[in-house]
Amino acid sequence: MMTRTFSRFAAIAAFVLAASAAHAAELRSAVTVSGETVTLGDIFDNAGKAANVVVANAPAPGLRSEISISRISLAARRNGIEWRNDAGLSHIVVARSGVAVPDEEVASVIAGAIGAQSTGLPSSSQLQIDFTNGTAGVQVAGDAEISVSVEQIAFNRRNGNFTAILRAPAGDMLSPAHRVTGRAYPVTDVPVLNRDMRPGDTVRHTDIDWIRVPASRVGQNVITSLDQLLGMSPRYQARAGELLRLADMVPPVVVQKGAQVDMLLTSGALTLIARGRALENGAVGDVINVLNTRSNRTLRGVVDGPNSIRIDTPGSARAVSATPQSNNS
């Protein structure tokens, strides 16, 4: 009889424990919140009427923090939440969601702050900002203005290292401070080829891209303007994206050795033309030797354009067997 009674009692106890476990709140080991506080409803799956009770402040947007189990246990007990720490946790991890402030915007305000305190540096648009961790990592709450301002900055002109204390949103003194480190250095925009080119190719607008490089890499012999590149031809094989030196580019050859050319002499309103043969390659402005095929004499003239030679010296002009322009030979 006693055995039957004990078995019945054990069954009832097991049922009560099972029912109690079924209604016990379940602790989350990691949670993500969007607001400024962490509540019992964020921490437990079944917090009931105590769901809105605040346990701790949330971390700054985009960051993480921890809440100890002892703190959670105290808040749960005070608010009638039954739970068990079956996993033996000592703390839970709380992350706060946020919206990233674009790194470009963060870099711009830092460059402006450095430029404002450091005379002799180029404009802020010509300062490259590299973040130590590869990204600034500044975030704001989802409903906040996406902006940032510099509260303090320390800049070492010798090596370019900086440490900045930022506020996001901009000027919000109640928002948490963000410490960002990195390096700032002057940069220069230079033209480069956007495709491989060979000697004899002529550089056009469509062949050019602009890249930004550290100013320390741009020596006096590096091409920095379109005028130094447009209409030129590579002296050697030139690769896309590489810095070009002035010596790498030459005017394109417009007169090939052995080509038939026109030799021109202008005297007042009269232009005299004679046929000749180029004895050298030449670009516009080059002085080359030309054979007058009628007199079989060698003359020197200036390349004026494709297969066109201008004879400037009086002696050379007298040696050319010239005819009026209307009667080309």
Side-chain angles (χ1 to χ4, degrees), residues 281-302:
N281 292 335
V284 173
D286 288 348
V287 178
I288 66 171
N289 291 319
V290 185
L291 179 67
N292 184 335
T293 54
R294 177 172 294 183
S295 66
N296 204 33
R297 295 186 61 181
T298 298
L299 308 172
R300 290 182 64 77
V302 179

Side-chain angles (χ1 to χ4, degrees), residues 89-136:
L89 299 175
S90 62
H91 64 271
I92 68 167
V93 177
V94 178
R96 184 176 176 186
S97 61
V99 178
V101 179
D103 282 352
E104 294 79 5
E105 183 171 348
V106 179
S108 177
V109 297
I110 290 176
I114 291 174
Q117 74 166 212
S118 303
T119 59
L121 287 176
S123 65
S124 60
S125 64
Q126 293 297 310
L127 273 181
Q128 177 70 31
I129 304 296
D130 292 341
F131 299 111
T132 301
N133 296 324
T135 179

Side-chain angles (χ1 to χ4, degrees), residues 24-91:
E26 184 176 347
L27 178 70
R28 300 184 178 104
S29 61
V31 298
T32 299
V33 299
S34 59
E36 298 179 350
T37 59
V38 183
T39 66
L40 288 173
D42 295 321
I43 296 173
F44 291 102
D45 279 341
N46 187 18
K49 295 180 179 180
N52 294 326
V53 175
V54 174
V55 179
N57 291 327
L63 300 182
R64 296 174 181 269
S65 64
E66 297 178 351
I67 303 177
S68 68
I69 292 299
S70 60
R71 184 171 187 173
I72 294 171
S73 179
L74 177 61
R77 185 168 61 254
R78 286 177 174 176
N79 291 277
I81 295 178
E82 297 180 7
W83 70 287
R84 295 198 306 272
N85 187 10
D86 295 333
L89 299 175
S90 62
H91 64 271

Side-chain angles (χ1 to χ4, degrees), residues 132-302:
T132 301
N133 296 324
T135 179
V138 178
Q139 296 195 14
V140 296
D143 58 352
E145 177 188 3
I146 302 176
S147 61
V148 64
S149 60
V150 176
E151 186 171 304
Q152 299 177 26
I153 192 160
F155 176 64
N156 187 325
R157 293 195 59 164
R158 183 177 58 82
N159 56 25
N161 292 337
F162 69 83
T163 298
I165 305 300
L166 310 177
R167 294 283 183 182
D172 183 359
M173 300 307 295
L174 298 179
S175 66
H178 299 266
R179 182 178 181 273
V180 177
T181 63
R183 180 170 173 262
Y185 52 92
V187 291
T188 300
D189 294 326
V190 297
V192 296
L193 301 176
N194 58 28
R195 65 183 180 93
D196 293 350
M197 298 186 73
R198 297 175 299 177
D201 294 340
T202 301
V203 179
R204 306 182 188 280
H205 276 284
T206 54
D207 299 318
I208 298 174
D209 279 339
W210 289 85
I211 64 171
R212 179 162 288 188
V213 298
S216 59
R217 292 183 55 193
V218 182
Q220 293 183 349
N221 63 338
V222 172
I223 290 177
T224 57
S225 69
L226 285 178
D227 293 342
Q228 295 170 322
L229 191 55
L230 278 175
M232 303 295 278
S233 179
R235 186 186 298 273
Y236 315 104
Q237 178 80 11
R239 297 195 176 279
E242 293 185 350
L243 295 184
L244 298 168
R245 299 172 302 170
L246 294 171
D248 294 333
M249 308 301 294
V250 294
V253 173
V254 295
V255 174
Q256 299 286 342
K257 180 180 179 179
Q260 295 295 315
V261 297
D262 290 331
M263 300 182 296
L264 293 85
L265 171 64
T266 299
S267 178
L270 180 65
T271 298
L272 305 176
I273 300 177
R275 299 294 289 176
R277 186 173 75 249
L279 301 179
E280 304 171 78
N281 292 335
V284 173
D286 288 348
V287 178
I288 66 171
N289 291 319
V290 185
L291 179 67
N292 184 335
T293 54
R294 177 172 294 183
S295 66
N296 204 33
R297 295 186 61 181
T298 298
L299 308 172
R300 290 182 64 77
V302 179

